[in-house]
Amino acid sequence: MDVGQLQRRLVDYTASLFREVSKEKKSSGFVFVFFLFFFLFFDDGFFDEKGILDDQFTQLQQLQDESNPDFVVEVVSLFFEDSEKLLNDLARALDQQSVDFKKVDAHVHQLKGSSSSIGARRVTQACVAFRNHCEEKNIQGCLRCLQQVKHEYSIAKNKLETLFRLEQQILAAGGSIPMMV
Amino acid sequence: MRARDQLMEQNAALDLARREAETAIRARNDFLAVMNHEMRTPMHAIIALSSLLQETDLTPEQRLMVETILKSSNLLATLINDVLDLSRLEDGSLELDLGTFNLHAVFRQVVNLIKPIAAVKKLLLSSSLAPDLPEYAVGDEKRLMQIILNVVGNAVKFSKQGSISITACIAKSESLRDARAPDFFPVPSDGHFYLRVQVKDLGSGISPQDIPKLFNKFAQSHSLTNKNSDGTGLGLAICKRFINLMKGHIWIESDGLGKGCTAIFVVKLGVVERSNESEHRFAPKMLANPGQTIFSGLKILVMDDNGVSRTVTKGLLVHLGCDVTVVSSGEECLRVVSQEHRVLFMDVCMPGTDGYEVAIRIRERFAKRHERPLLVALSANTERMTKDICLRAGMDGVILKPVSLEKMRSVLSELLERRVFFEVQ
């Protein structure tokens, strides 16, 4: 593939991250009901944006320049590291005989903060739902949410890694990364 | 002999009077400056907390009350700003902030700001700039924008339907003289041009006898006062004075009530000397040139216990040219903070954060306000916000996350200028 084609593919792929609806989500009937519940009772614009990434990610891309050429990759890698640790901590915390909901909430809060800092909107939203269950001290709800968060996280991770791979291909072919507006 | 003595006495008396007057003005300005800050701080607290209150569970009756509080306090804040501006304009102590700026961008920004409000009222807003209107000019960008916003804002306010058109061009000498203003003498000169802006609306119009009173302080047209009227009545008075400072003139034409209104003003702006090419020549520090900023080397401390969020905030500030240090805890923050740091951004998202403590300790440590860093809380717009704690702890500002590049840029400018910044939704 020539540089031009690679660049076009990158632009299309990036655009899709901002608007795509995850196909996997729709396949599970249980998950659909879960979201319907939230849609009915939590009118916080949950269905407004269907993208995996939101404007915050674009903001990050704007911060990348000659003096900081790997900014986005660095921040996102940090996010991956942090999140994986938090997800493990969460699984462990929910596995205890007597669950410390304060601690669980604290972990989710951190994850919410990180994901919102890089624009992984769906992960952030899943965290919001998770925190509600923590507040209600609802173990089943929390376990479900943890699954949901893990799910959204792995989608986001996949997509971002693909994005970076595409960028690497372009750079390797001698081209430059097209600026997204 | 006697005549000479008398003259000398008179001179001495005049001199004394002059010095007393100058002292009085200085004292008044100092007083106003202090009052300005003292008035603004609680004002911002009221606005910030009322907005917070709005986000909690309220009965409809309570909600109505809170909305009124918010509206009144916003009005009061505007009034405080206007009164200060006006008094400085009156005593001649206000000076224009001259600089090179993008004239076309000013109009674009005005349209962007007014568009949403016009859209709600289903008003069509259009702006057209003459092809010979220079892209860059020398003048006071902020005040010019304030003037245009005020005039366009009035057009929107007093229109229930129809369209509002903004046209801008270079004033030709015939159109410079207005028969209704015999004391306006435009003096065209090399290196300057007169900008002519016309804002036409199809709204409620004004009866001809009310027109001269429009520019008086606190004038509000009684026939138009209704419950939506939320102006201070100072807008046009201030506009007129700014325009006078810019050696210009403003006037309003209307065919009568219900027949719309046209506001026209002319101001003198400087021409930017162009050399053969690029704009880099006339992009002094005031222009937001990507990469070149007025925050070069500004020392900032960022406290955030979340690694990703810390890295992002640091990246944002570094991109704006700041010299950023990051810490991850309150303890570390207190160890590292110094007088050299101009601003401390504290992420206060975690419940039970020590941002509160840190703010109190810093205020204790640095007795004089101008010696300590400005304390700004970064808070996510969620439940369990600790905004009220921040305010009580004496923070200089609270910003809602997410913070975009543009927002951070304007926050820093505002902070450095006014030393406070409270964001209100």
Side-chain angles (χ1 to χ4, degrees), chain A residues 59 65 78 110 112 131, chain B residues 306 311 319 349 382 384 405:
Chain A
Q59 288 293 320
D65 56 27
L78 192 55
Q110 287 287 339
K112 174 166 164 272
R131 293 190 79 195
Chain B
N306 181 306
T311 312
H319 189 80
C349 290
T382 62
R384 289 183 282 200
L405 193 56

Side-chain angles (χ1 to χ4, degrees), chain A residues 79-146:
Chain A
F79 168 67
F80 290 159
E81 264 177 55
D82 263 14
S83 306
E84 265 141 51
K85 181 171 180 302
L86 284 168
L87 288 171
N88 283 337
D89 290 343
L90 277 168
R92 220 183 359 256
L94 284 172
D95 204 26
Q96 302 297 314
Q97 281 283 33
S98 152
V99 175
D100 180 354
F101 284 100
K102 264 193 136 74
K103 194 153 154 204
V104 173
D105 184 67
H107 289 318
V108 180
H109 187 96
Q110 287 287 339
L111 188 55
K112 174 166 164 272
S114 321
S115 56
S116 118
S117 291
I118 65 151
R121 192 184 161 103
R122 291 228 282 251
V123 177
T124 311
Q125 288 178 334
C127 290
V128 170
F130 199 150
R131 293 190 79 195
N132 288 324
H133 287 286
C134 288
E135 218 178 307
E136 295 162 13
K137 297 201 188 338
N138 176 345
I139 290 239
Q140 286 312 310
C142 283
L143 287 168
R144 272 201 306 271
C145 279
L146 178 58

Side-chain angles (χ1 to χ4, degrees), chain A residues 55-56 59, chain B residues 316 402-409:
Chain A
D55 189 54
Q56 179 61 15
Q59 288 293 320
Chain B
L316 196 52
V403 190
S404 69
L405 193 56
E406 280 318 301
K407 180 149 123 181
M408 186 56 100
R409 193 181 271 135

